[in-house]
Amino acid sequence: MIKKEMIAMLLAGGQGSRLGFLTSTVAKPAVGFGAKYRIIDFALSNCINSGIDTVGVLTQYQPLRLNTHIGIGIPWDLDKNIGGVSILPPYEGSTNAQWYSGTANAIYQNLRYMERYNPDYVLILGGDHIYKMDYEAMLDFHKARNADVTISCIPVPMEEASRFGVVITDDEGRISEFEEKPANPRSNLASMGIYIFNWKVLHDALIELKNQPGCDFGKHVIPYCHNNGMGIYAYEFTGYWKDVGTLHSYWEANMELIDLVPVFNLYEEFWRIYTSADVIRPQYIGKNAYIERCIIGEGAEIYGVAKNSVIGPGVIIKEGAEVYDSIIMKDSIVGNNSRVYKGILAENSRLGSNCAMGIGEERENEKWPHIYNNGLTVLAEDSVVPDNVMIGKNTAISGITEASDYENNTLQSGKCLIKVGDQD
């Protein structure tokens, strides 16, 4: 048996439906971020920077790109003979075949993987947040208090607290009450979905709750541990942490990277963020190009104007095109003389010439107002918009569209155009 002090279990199987078309073909942790990264890079980089060299990545929804991106873990120095990174999809056993039905259920289905390393502690992580965190410091806190469970927590605005599991603590940080997404929260100290468990505590709780439908840490495991008198403590995190679970928070987190003094700094030497990147050509900036406050990925070609934007690798912004306050992902093209305002172009999308995105009066999206809002305009992965099309705000387009798909060459604010597939 191989002995590890602490291993990490990284939950990366979620669909991320609140990101709309950005996750129609990829899992949320595989969505591009900050011109060259993917969201999961931050948790993986935190692990290796914290000295954790054994990470199980639990995948389920649309795993192909995520699995390809992680590979054998070389960019994060997780290509180890003992430990390293392991992709853990659901599997068919001799007596059952079951999808992961909850966060804790997913961990339970991988008990054998954890038993192999006989850890003293297990770190549970999500793969869909943007942050830098030293998990070793959290483990030191856990040990110092002789805790059974430690939950990393962060203060949030009280009006947002109902979106999270919130905790109430005593003067020593011990959690006296835990409420999962309460309608009327009594605290603004929110769980970040990051847990350290003593291995025996986690093992026994998962066995006890194995028949609980949709077994979840916030709804089932933490209350179980609390009701059985376990020592549960809150580790208060004071750094930057962003839940990019909605289109607006995702757009906002990207825009924060280009501030003069960014709230979240990608350029620190002592805590690097690693990623798996293609070896591609250098950037090219045309003679008539104008760029202001942008992050630009490798291989991008800019012949027009880009301001306050995040431009991914291999993107082409053609002559006369203008891009403002937008995210243009890998290998997308903005055609000649087109304008993009507060847009998100997913990977390998094409906006024709003489088009405009994000114009006109802002109206609520008719079909998915909880997704497409705050004036954003989204073009899904592999989608095409023909020449001379005007696109309003709070809109979304998916598929290879033609001029005949648009009434008077226009998609009004608040409308969606889906040419292929569907979104429930």
Side-chain angles (χ1 to χ4, degrees):
M1 183 177 291
I2 306 161
K3 178 68 177 176
K4 294 283 184 179
E5 182 184 30
M6 184 162 77
I7 65 172
M9 300 294 281
L10 202 166
L11 296 158
Q15 179 178 355
S17 58
R18 292 179 299 161
L19 289 179
F21 289 132
L22 297 190
T23 53
S24 58
T25 57
V26 297
K28 181 164 67 168
V31 171
F33 183 85
K36 69 176 293 181
Y37 304 100
R38 298 195 184 276
I39 294 172
I40 199 171
D41 291 337
F42 296 88
L44 288 173
S45 297
N46 287 338
C47 284
I48 201 63
N49 287 333
S50 301
I52 299 170
D53 66 359
T54 304
V55 183
V57 180
L58 286 71
T59 63
Q60 181 159 284
Y61 173 80
Q62 295 281 9
L64 178 60
R65 186 171 301 165
L66 187 63
N67 295 353
T68 302
H69 178 69
I70 295 171
I72 60 172
I74 292 173
W76 305 273
D77 194 27
L78 287 170
D79 52 327
K80 309 288 187 183
N81 290 328
I82 300 176
V85 66
S86 299
I87 305 296
L88 303 172
Y91 61 89
E92 183 175 356
S94 59
T95 58
N96 71 310
Q98 183 179 347
W99 290 106
Y100 297 149
S101 61
T103 55
N105 174 264
I107 301 297
Y108 167 74
Q109 291 196 46
N110 288 282
L111 277 178
R112 284 193 175 183
Y113 171 82
M114 294 183 286
E115 288 168 350
R116 178 185 178 194
Y117 297 103
N118 188 30
D120 297 318
Y121 309 98
V122 178
L123 172 68
I124 308 294
L125 303 171
D128 51 5
H129 299 127
I130 306 299
Y131 67 112
K132 297 178 182 178
M133 183 176 180
D134 186 351
Y135 303 133
E136 190 173 18
M138 183 177 172
L139 179 59
D140 290 342
F141 174 94
H142 180 88
K143 291 177 180 178
R145 283 152 183 79
N146 197 27
D148 294 302
V149 184
T150 296
I151 305 174
S152 185
C153 298
I154 193 168
V156 298
M158 185 60 82
E159 60 271 18
E160 295 181 16
S162 60
R163 294 175 46 216
F164 301 92
V166 296
V167 303
I168 297 174
T169 64
D170 62 19
D171 293 340
E172 294 184 352
R174 183 164 181 152
I175 294 174
S176 57
E177 294 184 55
F178 182 91
E179 296 179 295
E180 179 68 9
K181 299 181 179 179
N184 299 297
R186 292 179 292 133
S187 165
N188 71 329
L189 192 58
S191 168
M192 298 165 63
I194 299 170
Y195 312 97
I196 291 179
F197 283 85
N198 292 349
W199 166 232
K200 186 178 187 309
V201 170
L202 177 63
H203 179 276
D204 292 352
L206 293 176
I207 294 294
E208 185 65 27
L209 297 169
K210 65 181 180 180
N211 295 321
Q212 174 68 50
C215 191
D216 180 83
F217 280 100
K219 294 178 181 177
H220 304 110
V221 175
I222 298 303
Y224 170 84
C225 292
H226 184 264
N227 294 337
N228 283 275
M230 303 291 184
I232 308 176
Y233 285 81
Y235 174 74
E236 190 164 337
F237 181 64
T238 57
Y240 179 95
W241 178 79
K242 194 84 166 184
D243 179 354
V244 289
T246 67
L247 271 178
H248 185 255
S249 64
Y250 171 81
W251 174 84
E252 190 175 59
N254 274 273
M255 293 301 103
E256 287 171 347
L257 298 177
I258 58 178
D259 287 341
L260 183 61
V261 181
V263 180
F264 186 71
N265 192 345
L266 292 173
Y267 302 98
E268 293 170 330
E269 285 294 320
F270 73 95
W271 199 270
R272 293 184 179 181
I273 304 300
Y274 302 95
T275 190
S276 175
D278 298 329
V279 178
I280 54 179
R281 63 194 183 282
Q283 303 162 353
Y284 180 80
I285 310 301
K287 67 176 183 178
N288 296 321
Y290 179 84
I291 301 169
E292 183 179 306
R293 294 179 72 243
C294 291
I295 292 177
I296 304 173
E298 298 94 331
E301 300 177 26
I302 302 181
Y303 303 93
V305 173
K307 293 185 180 181
N308 305 325
S309 294
V310 175
I311 311 298
V315 165
I316 300 175
I317 300 176
K318 293 190 173 182
E319 191 81 31
E322 301 177 13
V323 174
Y324 302 94
D325 306 312
S326 295
I327 303 166
I328 315 296
M329 294 192 200
K330 180 180 178 182
D331 295 330
S332 292
I333 296 175
V334 179
N336 297 90
N337 304 311
S338 287
R339 293 165 291 144
V340 180
Y341 303 97
K342 207 174 177 182
I344 302 176
L345 274 65
E347 296 187 24
N348 197 40
S349 58
R350 304 284 187 270
L351 180 67
S353 299
N354 304 307
C355 294
M357 287 183 67
I359 60 171
E361 179 183 352
E362 185 169 342
R363 297 175 187 151
E364 184 177 89
N365 188 273
E366 294 178 355
K367 195 165 187 180
W368 298 295
H370 61 293
I371 297 177
Y372 305 107
N373 48 44
N374 289 283
L376 290 169
T377 300
V378 177
L379 183 57
E381 184 172 320
D382 297 323
S383 295
V384 175
V385 174
D387 298 343
N388 306 308
V389 171
M390 304 293 110
I391 303 167
K393 300 174 181 177
N394 297 335
T395 55
I397 298 171
S398 177
I400 300 175
T401 64
E402 302 171 354
S404 59
D405 297 315
Y406 299 86
E407 185 177 350
N408 297 321
N409 286 342
T410 301
L411 184 67
Q412 297 288 349
S413 292
K415 300 281 188 180
C416 291
L417 176 56
I418 307 169
K419 193 66 182 293
V420 293
D422 198 6
Q423 180 173 336
D424 297 324

